[in-house]
Amino acid sequence: MTEIQDALEEIESVVGSDYVTDKDFMKAAYSRNVDPAFPDRWADMIVRPSTTEEVSDIVKIANKYKIRMVPRGGGADLVGGSVTQGGILFDMTRMNHIVEVNADDFYCVVECGITWGALVSELHAKGLTTGVLGPGSGYSATIGGGLSNSTAGFGSTKYGLVPDICLGVEVVLPNPEGTILQTGVAANKYAKPFARYGVTPDFTGLFMGDVGTMGIKTKAFLRLAPLPPLRALRYYMLIKNDYNMVSKLLKQLRDKVGDGISDILVIPYPVVRIQAGIAKNKPAKKSRLTGSVFMIGFEAFDQRIIDVYLEQVEEIMTKDGICRSFEMHEIDLDEPLTTDWQFNLKMAFNYFNRFISIVPDMISCTTCHKIPISYIAEAEKKSHDFDAKFHSEFPNKSLSLFATVIYALPNGNCVFVGGFNGYNTEDQQPIAMNLWHKKLRAQVHYGGAHYWLGESISQSIVEAGAYSPEFAAFFKDAKKMVDPNFLLSPEKFHMHQYDEPLSKYEVEDEPY
Amino acid sequence: MAETNSSEKFKHLSKLEKNILQCISCGDCRELTDNTLDPPNWGVCVAREHTTGFEPFFGRGKMQIIRSLWQGKLELSEDMANVIFQCPTCNACSKACYYGLNTVDYYEALRAELVDAGCALDVHNEMNQGLLENLNPYGQDNAQKKNWLDQLDFTVKDASSEPVEVLYFTGCTAALSAAVQPVAINTAKVLHKLGIDFGVLGGAEICCGSVAMRTGARQVFQEIAEKNAALFQKIGVKTIITSCAGCYRTLKIDYKDMLEGSGIEVMHTVEFLEKYLRENGIQLKNLGIHVTYHDPCHTGRHIGLYEPPRALLRQMATLTEMKNIKEHAKCCGAGGGVKKAFPQLALDIAKTRIQEAEETGADYIVSICPFCDRNLADAIQETGSAMQVKDLLELVEQALE
């Protein structure tokens, strides 16, 4: 403990004694995130740096004493990504400033601890937007967390994932020198951070979706777009519950409407029924629920254009009686009619919260992953087969959903936002954790691409044997180059030490 | 099971046992910024904004501490108390919570556990001990609570000896603090002008116990509250009004079980007056002033009294709203024992609210809570702002023809 105490004192001299703590109740407050299946993890200390230079100095101290480090943004993740057993936990939310909004050249520079809620709110007031609004937990999730987890969220159907709008980052490498780098065209020290590609290979990508393993991101350079002033929303319900039809409709919408659509969320049939069941303000007359519901968002700069999009979508969705127009108001009177609907961030940032704890004191073990849209029906079937085969291994009364939402992304792929719920108690956590890994491995085996990796999902990918030996070696070499003392976010991707093959952690699963 | 022992160990938290594990730790209670809402919502937790900002300073961290205590992983401590009491219990985090957890109930239960474990703050201990001895938290002779009546040119009934339709529960701050006495004086003048049959308890009025409840001294609160409940029932009053947001919340919510079946209705004076004036077709005079309105947490988020003060203000003045209003209103920082134990924090929070009020261009910031009035006035004095604090009752008194 002496080394920890020595390090603490040195860190105090960097940030001041008010901004680093090793008190037990503080550690307890940082001991977990949304995830239910992880045991509590107490850091040795929590530090709230305010500048990139402070981060760099702390990294140097950590290297001096060989103390592990984990950066934490909003602490809103569900996959064990931003807690640490022992070591230094960086609470990055003090670095929450907007450094520059360049409305002429459509980019901004922000500190990575700012939340999506704060940034997007500020941008919208200036008639600008990031397009993709960050993860569903965006009120509390930070820009840094969104980049480190390659997340999707509202706007992703049109604008892509969070890294797609990233033009570069300022990052502190976890090496003994605490090296500070800027990527993107900002690698040219004479250039403004206005573009991602050029000057160097795309080193920005090294830090996207890295779940905090390759460096500590302190600033982000983000692409901006003008904020379309006009928005509309429509719902359509499938007359038959047919996931092949979901794929066909998603393709047709992509083919014929394209960028007019900002969001397509398909709410699977079972979830529609759950939503009808948990609605606080149910209508007297029950609506006839027949299939999955498409929620389609539109945006444009001109009402005439919106009208054309609405007409095109209406034609695609209702042709041959495939779908009917639907209103969420039919199952929940608190939901506005689409004709009265007005965009607000609360909808974008609270949409997913409702599914995290459908049953009190049970929290979702998330299995969010991407698949090609042509594979939706097959993946849905595989998920059901898995649940049936391993039914007895689920936590008691657990509800497993292959997707609470199918979220369309650009280029013909989509996210299955799904999972099952487990109890938030120590005796139940191992049950949920074992099944969680098993289910994730099954999804990796059918070609699913997880993006929000944290610890549980990154380890499951390794356990499933997804990486070739050549790729695993390349990955480790890259990690070793930036983190020679192996201090930043250990455990993720089952990288426990450099001289150990990842294949050691592969798991042979029973077929289903 | 740790939880089984916890039920015995933490008697206050055990009443909330069912939902202790429901906080999903999403963190929306930290800031939840959204200017696309109407009204917009900029930030949530004033305590976090004016402290070092570690997690225990806002909702999620407190809920994780409670969970860790409940699961036997953490012990109560004075260090913990020093942070947990730096919260004005404004309940903004509750409004930000997707699952609607009434977070203040948890924080107050945690405070009660800290007090029972001997970890209370010294200044709160002294205050609550004084409350038991003096029946007010200001260490003054409680008989002085009748002194403000001397400033009236009419007689107010003594509700402890005469029957009254309405008991005006003055509250300790308005009765004993010279700077805030105008709240009591104006309330009485308004009631008198309207010919309402009301009375006060004067020197016999016992503190509502709010400060004890908010600072975790539940035994003190219980003792005080029982005395009050017995007194109210003895005098046979059916309507209690108060011009103090803290008394209002306490009498209406914390006394609920004790007053159940008594037929006593508790109202804020403003709520009572708005209804009375509306039902009797009485219009208030326009005073030609420009005001903004500060929602006290105890009348606002704790109870939902948003429209009656605004309805009265619109008759008397030009009302320009601040950026954060109603359920999103920023706390003045005085509540929850913060003003007593952490006066600088209370002042810092109030300064931010005054800055927000200044942005409206109004000349007056109006409220309906003596405690808010006082803290906001302190912030004005500190910053040299040209803005003035007015209690709504003062304006009503001027505006009644």
Side-chain angles (χ1 to χ4, degrees), chain B residues 39-107:
Chain B
N41 184 8
W42 296 86
V44 174
C45 182
V46 290
R48 187 192 75 94
E49 288 166 11
H50 292 276
T51 56
T52 56
F54 283 101
E55 298 260 333
F57 286 100
F58 67 94
R60 174 172 70 180
K62 290 186 183 69
M63 294 304 290
Q64 291 307 312
I65 285 171
I66 289 168
R67 181 188 57 76
S68 298
L69 286 166
W70 190 256
Q71 294 181 331
K73 298 166 184 166
L74 184 65
E75 294 296 326
L76 297 160
S77 68
E78 289 182 6
D79 279 342
M80 185 194 294
N82 199 44
V83 168
I84 296 302
F85 282 100
Q86 289 187 55
C87 163
T89 61
C90 73
N91 220 20
C93 43
S94 175
K95 298 299 171 191
C97 178
Y98 183 81
Y99 292 99
L101 289 175
N102 196 28
T103 41
V104 162
D105 289 348
Y106 296 84
Y107 309 158

Side-chain angles (χ1 to χ4, degrees), chain A residues 55 63 77 108 127-128 152 167 169 212 272 283 287 336 343 375 386 391 412 420 446 458 461 469 496:
Chain A
V55 174
N63 270 276
D77 89 284
C108 68
L128 294 166
L167 305 177
V169 287
V272 176
S287 177
F343 174 82
Y375 197 65
F386 178 94
H391 177 73
F420 65 92
Y446 71 54
S458 69
I461 292 168
H496 304 288

Side-chain angles (χ1 to χ4, degrees), chain B residues 166-322:
Chain B
V166 174
L167 169 67
Y168 167 41
F169 189 90
T170 314
C172 303
T173 309
L176 294 170
S177 166
V180 187
Q181 272 180 357
V183 173
I185 292 164
N186 287 310
T187 302
K189 283 183 177 174
V190 167
L191 296 171
H192 179 69
K193 274 188 184 177
L194 292 171
I196 289 163
D197 177 28
F198 79 102
V200 297
L201 291 164
E205 184 181 289
I206 302 166
C207 173
C208 67
S210 172
V211 292
M213 186 65 186
R214 308 283 85 83
T215 58
R218 295 221 169 156
Q219 228 172 322
V220 175
F221 171 76
Q222 194 62 26
E223 205 170 310
I224 291 285
E226 280 171 9
K227 281 182 184 167
N228 265 322
L231 182 60
F232 297 153
Q233 304 218 24
K234 184 182 156 199
I235 64 174
V237 69
K238 292 297 172 201
T239 303
I240 300 175
I241 64 170
T242 177
S243 304
C244 171
C247 298
Y248 176 53
R249 187 233 128 99
T250 306
L251 296 175
K252 198 168 178 81
I253 295 179
D254 300 314
Y255 280 49
K256 200 171 179 184
D257 291 344
M258 274 177 280
L259 296 182
E260 197 168 12
S262 68
I264 295 174
E265 185 182 14
V266 177
M267 299 176 86
H268 192 283
T269 308
V270 165
E271 184 183 17
F272 175 84
L273 287 175
E274 192 276 332
K275 185 167 180 264
Y276 184 89
L277 297 174
R278 182 166 32 85
E279 287 178 354
N280 290 280
I282 300 170
Q283 188 71 23
L284 294 169
K285 185 171 70 180
N286 192 314
L287 301 171
I289 55 174
H290 186 190
V291 303
T292 190
Y293 177 69
H294 168 74
D295 291 281
C297 304
H298 283 143
T299 53
R301 276 185 291 268
H302 285 243
I303 293 179
L305 183 71
Y306 296 120
E307 287 309 322
R310 289 177 166 80
L312 296 181
L313 276 174
R314 285 191 197 101
Q315 292 180 43
M316 301 184 289
T318 302
L319 171 65
T320 304
E321 296 279 14
M322 284 186 266

Side-chain angles (χ1 to χ4, degrees), chain A residues 221-331:
Chain A
F221 320 130
L222 302 176
R223 186 180 71 203
L224 300 178
L227 177 67
L230 301 169
R231 286 177 183 268
L233 184 72
R234 291 292 183 271
Y235 292 102
Y236 295 93
M237 176 178 278
L238 278 170
I239 299 302
K240 286 183 185 167
N241 187 33
D242 177 354
Y243 291 103
N244 284 312
M245 187 54 72
V246 170
S247 295
K248 282 181 191 164
L249 288 170
L250 285 175
K251 182 171 186 315
Q252 285 181 40
L253 290 168
R254 171 67 61 204
D255 275 343
K256 295 180 181 169
V257 189
D259 279 354
I261 295 176
S262 58
D263 298 280
I264 306 173
L265 285 78
V266 183
I267 309 166
Y269 182 45
V271 179
V272 176
R273 294 198 301 179
I274 288 171
Q275 284 190 243
I278 63 176
K280 285 178 186 153
N281 194 2
K282 294 186 181 74
K285 192 184 168 201
K286 276 190 179 176
S287 177
R288 188 158 179 268
L289 306 177
T290 55
S292 301
V293 168
F294 279 68
M295 172 180 157
I296 303 175
F298 304 82
E299 62 177 27
F301 291 87
D302 188 311
Q303 187 60 47
R304 291 168 300 179
I305 295 173
I306 286 257
D307 291 342
V308 171
Y309 291 150
L310 288 169
E311 193 183 311
Q312 286 176 317
V313 168
E314 178 81 10
E315 192 181 319
I316 292 166
M317 300 304 288
T318 59
K319 192 179 173 192
D320 301 328
I322 295 167
C323 293
R324 71 170 176 93
S325 286
F326 180 71
E327 293 282 356
M328 292 307 282
H329 195 76
E330 291 179 35
I331 58 173

Side-chain angles (χ1 to χ4, degrees), chain A residues 465-506:
Chain A
Y467 303 147
S468 68
E470 294 78 13
F471 184 86
F474 168 76
F475 191 175
K476 276 199 166 179
D477 286 347
K479 167 80 173 157
K480 196 170 184 177
M481 182 185 69
V482 296
D483 186 8
N485 287 320
F486 199 60
L487 297 177
L488 188 65
S489 300
E491 320 297 345
K492 288 166 187 165
F493 299 100
H494 271 308
M495 286 198 198
H496 304 288
Q497 47 190 308
Y498 286 131
D499 56 1
E500 190 178 68
L502 290 184
S503 57
K504 179 182 168 186
Y505 295 96
E506 287 180 19

Side-chain angles (χ1 to χ4, degrees), chain A residues 18 23 30-32 34 40 48 72 74-75 115 121 125 139-140 344-346 350 353-354 357 424 426, chain B residues 21 24 26-28 30-31 33-36 52-56 60 64-65 67 71 73 79 98-99:
Chain A
D18 283 349
K23 293 190 187 309
Y30 284 88
S31 63
R32 66 182 308 160
V34 186
D40 288 11
R48 301 194 74 227
R72 168 181 164 114
T115 61
S121 218
Y139 274 136
S140 48
N344 66 60
L345 297 183
K346 189 166 184 160
N350 268 175
N353 278 12
R354 75 179 76 182
S357 180
N424 192 6
E426 274 185 347
Chain B
L21 301 181
I24 61 168
C26 67
D28 282 357
R30 182 175 53 209
E31 53 184 78
T33 305
D34 186 356
N35 74 353
T36 63
T52 56
F54 283 101
E55 298 260 333
R60 174 172 70 180
Q64 291 307 312
I65 285 171
R67 181 188 57 76
Q71 294 181 331
K73 298 166 184 166
D79 279 342
Y98 183 81
Y99 292 99

